[in-house]
Amino acid sequence: MKEIKSSLEKILKVTSIFRLEKRKWPLHAAELQSFALEMGKSLDFSQFHRCRFVIKSNQEMVLDFCLSPSGDGWAPRGAMEVRIPELEREDTLPLQVEIKNLAPQKVEARSYCTVGEPELTRKLSA
């Protein structure tokens, strides 16, 4: 769980810089990851089954996330609510953050990468 918290903290830091520079919230993880790479940073989304950015307003955004499922297919879920209470200065953003645990969700583990599976790839192409 410590790794998840660390990942969420890094995502929050880059999200706040993104919001400050672009004057908008990221629409999805790929947009935030691209922005992080431009800054020479990397974000690790590998522990997440799903990360969805839900923009409530110009002042509020929710990162709805679902962790990778366990062997029984149940995945822990959570939501990180981020709000900008007021803009005191143009060069900083005071953020209010609340992380909520949500009920686990039954998910289907999926893999879209066939690298390292030449036998399967060969059968599919035949």
Side-chain angles (χ1 to χ4, degrees):
M1 196 63 175
K2 187 176 180 180
E3 295 171 7
I4 302 299
K5 186 177 178 183
S6 175
S7 292
L8 287 173
E9 288 172 353
K10 288 178 184 176
I11 291 169
L12 178 62
K13 286 178 186 176
V14 175
T15 299
S16 65
I17 296 169
F18 183 99
R19 176 65 177 81
L20 186 62
E21 287 191 16
K22 305 251 184 196
R23 301 268 187 234
K24 68 175 193 133
W25 298 109
L27 298 175
H28 44 73
E31 183 178 27
L32 189 63
Q33 179 77 345
S34 176
F35 179 77
L37 290 174
E38 288 174 11
M39 295 186 338
K41 307 274 185 203
S42 66
L43 295 176
D44 182 15
F45 289 96
S46 66
Q47 300 166 338
F48 299 96
H49 179 73
R50 180 188 71 233
C51 278
R52 189 174 58 143
F53 290 78
V54 181
I55 296 153
K56 301 265 188 167
S57 71
N58 196 36
Q59 303 300 107
E60 186 176 0
M61 185 266 314
V62 176
L63 174 62
D64 178 37
F65 60 90
C66 185
L67 303 178
S68 296
S70 59
D72 61 359
W74 286 95
R77 292 179 45 222
M80 180 170 60
E81 298 178 359
V82 182
R83 285 181 288 292
I84 304 170
E86 60 186 81
L87 293 174
E88 295 176 359
R89 296 177 23 197
E90 290 187 22
D91 60 341
T92 63
L93 280 180
L95 298 176
Q96 292 178 342
V97 180
E98 183 178 352
I99 298 176
K100 295 181 178 180
N101 290 320
L102 302 175
Q105 180 179 16
K106 185 81 166 172
V107 297
E108 184 179 329
R110 297 180 182 186
S111 175
Y112 298 99
C113 182
T114 59
V115 174
E117 301 174 14
E119 186 64 31
L120 179 61
T121 304
R122 204 173 320 117
K123 286 180 184 177
L124 292 175
S125 64

